[in-house]
Amino acid sequence: MKNRLLLLLLLMVNSFFAQDTIMQLWPKDKIPNHLKSVEKEIHEQNEILRISKVQVPTIEVYLPSKRDATGEAVLIFPGGGYGILAYDWEGTDIAKFLNSKGIAGIVVKYRLPSDISQTDKKYVPLLDAQRAVRLVRGNAEKFNIKPNKIGIIGFSAGGHLASTLGTHFNEKVYEPIDRIDDESARPDFMALGYPVISFGEMTHLGSKKNLIGENPTSELVNYFSNEKQVTELTPPTFLLHATDDTVVPVENSLLFYKAVKDKGVSVTMHIYPKGGHGFGLGLHDEHLKDWGNRMLDWIVSLR
C-alpha cells in the first residue's frame, strides 16, 4: 500500500511538472485554420526524433536555474522542409545548450502545412510562430525572463519560418483570441541556421512546395521570399551557413545579409567552408563546434 501511494505521488509530481513545461499555443477548440480530421500526429525516433502531422502546436520550455538566468529567452524552430520537425537535433538539444549559458530555450512544435487538417495552410506555420512569441512574452514573469529580451532561432525550413516571423510579425494572419494576442509578436533578435530564405531560384524546392504548392503565384513567391520583405523594423540578425551546403544554397544567407544590411539593421554572419546541411550544434566538427559560442557572443553584444 505504501509503495502504491509513493508511486501515485511520483506520477502526480511528474504530471505537474510536465504541464508546467509544455504549453499548448491555443485554447482548446480555438486553433485557427484547424479542421477536424482523421490525421494523427506522428513521432518517429531513430537517430533523431522526427515529428510530423502536428495537430496540437505547443511550446516546450527549458529554463535555467534562477541563479544563472540572464533574463533572455530564445524560441527555437526546428527544421525539416515543412514536412517534419527535427525536434531534438534542432530543438531540444539547442534548448539545453542555451540553458547551460543561462538563457531560456523554448522549442516550438509548430504545425506543418496540411491539406487534410488545415484551411489556408500556407499561413499556418506563421500564425503559430506569432502566437508562440506572444505566449512567451505574456508569461515572461512566470518564466523569469525579460519581455524585451525574447529572440528566435530557426534551422533550415525552421529558419524560413523564423525569417518569415522576423519580417511579417506585424501582419494580421489570425483573429485575436484572448489577452495573449495583445502582446507584440516581434522578436527582439533573430538567429538563422542554414536557413531557407528565398522562394526564388536559390530555394529548397521541398520547403517551397510543402508551404505554397507546386504552382504558386508570383505574389506568393515574393511574399515568402523573405529577403524581399526586410524593413527597418526587422530584428538584429545572426546568420550561420556552410559554403558546401548542397540542400539549401549559401546564397540564401547572403541574400538576407545584404537585405538586412541595406535597411540599416544590425547583422552578423558566419560562413564556414565545410559543414554541409543540417549540422545542428556541430559538436563533432572542429570548425563548426564553436558556432554556438559565436552566437552567444553576439547576443551579449546586444545587451
Side-chain angles (χ1 to χ4, degrees):
M1 186 68 172
K2 217 174 188 180
N3 288 339
R4 286 183 183 175
L5 286 172
L6 181 60
L7 179 61
L8 182 60
L9 181 62
L10 287 171
L11 288 172
M12 288 173 65
V13 169
N14 286 338
S15 174
F16 173 79
F17 280 110
Q19 291 171 3
D20 193 45
T21 56
I22 298 179
M23 299 176 63
Q24 293 186 13
L25 289 185
W26 307 97
K28 189 177 180 182
D29 298 326
K30 290 188 178 180
I31 304 176
N33 295 43
H34 177 71
L35 295 173
K36 288 185 178 180
S37 72
V38 296
E39 197 168 60
K40 303 293 183 185
E41 186 168 306
I42 298 173
H43 291 227
E44 296 176 306
Q45 180 76 62
N46 194 351
E47 287 186 357
I48 63 173
L49 173 59
R50 291 174 170 84
I51 299 178
S52 59
K53 303 184 188 303
V54 174
Q55 299 300 303
V56 180
T58 61
I59 54 172
E60 185 167 358
V61 182
Y62 288 77
L63 299 178
S65 65
K66 285 194 175 183
R67 291 185 66 176
D68 289 336
T70 65
E72 291 148 330
V74 176
L75 284 80
I76 305 157
F77 297 92
Y82 284 122
I84 62 115
L85 301 178
Y87 194 77
D88 48 4
W89 183 249
E90 295 171 346
T92 55
D93 285 359
I94 306 299
K96 293 168 187 175
F97 168 75
L98 291 167
N99 272 190
S100 72
K101 307 300 181 180
I103 299 173
I106 300 167
V107 187
V108 185
K109 188 182 74 173
Y110 57 93
R111 285 175 293 163
L112 301 158
S114 170
D115 293 316
I116 298 171
S117 60
Q118 295 164 16
T119 60
D120 216 358
K121 66 178 183 179
K122 59 186 173 292
Y123 295 113
V124 167
L126 175 58
L127 59 88
D128 280 357
Q130 285 189 358
R131 176 72 178 191
V133 173
R134 290 176 171 134
L135 186 61
V136 172
R137 190 161 274 134
N139 285 277
E141 185 175 355
K142 175 182 177 181
F143 296 153
N144 191 36
I145 61 176
K146 299 173 183 175
N148 63 341
K149 298 291 183 182
I150 298 172
I152 59 175
I153 184 170
F155 298 88
S156 194
H160 183 266
L161 177 54
S163 64
T164 304
L165 175 60
T167 52
H168 297 271
F169 56 85
N170 264 338
E171 294 185 25
K172 186 176 180 181
V173 289
Y174 67 92
E175 291 299 322
I177 289 174
D178 54 27
R179 65 168 186 84
I180 290 297
D181 290 322
D182 294 333
E183 301 284 350
S184 170
R186 181 184 182 273
D188 295 299
F189 54 92
M190 174 167 65
L192 307 172
Y194 38 88
V196 179
I197 293 292
S198 180
F199 274 0
E201 291 182 9
M202 293 297 176
T203 194
H204 176 247
L205 290 174
S207 298
K208 178 181 177 180
K209 177 183 173 183
N210 284 337
L211 189 66
I212 61 174
E214 288 194 49
N215 299 297
T217 64
S218 58
E219 288 79 11
L220 267 183
V221 170
N222 285 334
Y223 181 88
F224 286 107
S225 291
N226 293 320
E227 80 279 10
K228 298 181 179 181
Q229 305 300 328
V230 174
T231 72
E232 291 81 0
L233 295 178
T234 298
T237 301
F238 175 100
L239 289 155
L240 167 74
H241 224 120
T243 302
D244 66 348
D245 190 335
T246 59
V247 178
V248 178
V250 69
E251 282 80 4
N252 281 265
S253 284
L254 298 175
L255 283 170
F256 202 71
Y257 177 89
K258 184 177 187 307
V260 173
K261 175 180 173 292
D262 288 350
K263 290 296 183 180
V265 174
S266 175
V267 60
T268 189
M269 180 167 58
H270 292 265
I271 303 294
Y272 292 85
K274 295 180 180 179
H277 186 74
F279 49 77
L281 285 169
L283 298 180
H284 297 297
D285 187 293
E286 285 300 312
H287 300 289
L288 293 172
K289 68 180 183 180
D290 283 332
W291 79 256
N293 290 324
R294 302 291 76 77
M295 181 182 70
L296 291 169
D297 291 343
W298 169 73
I299 291 174
V300 169
S301 76
L302 300 175
R303 292 175 184 166

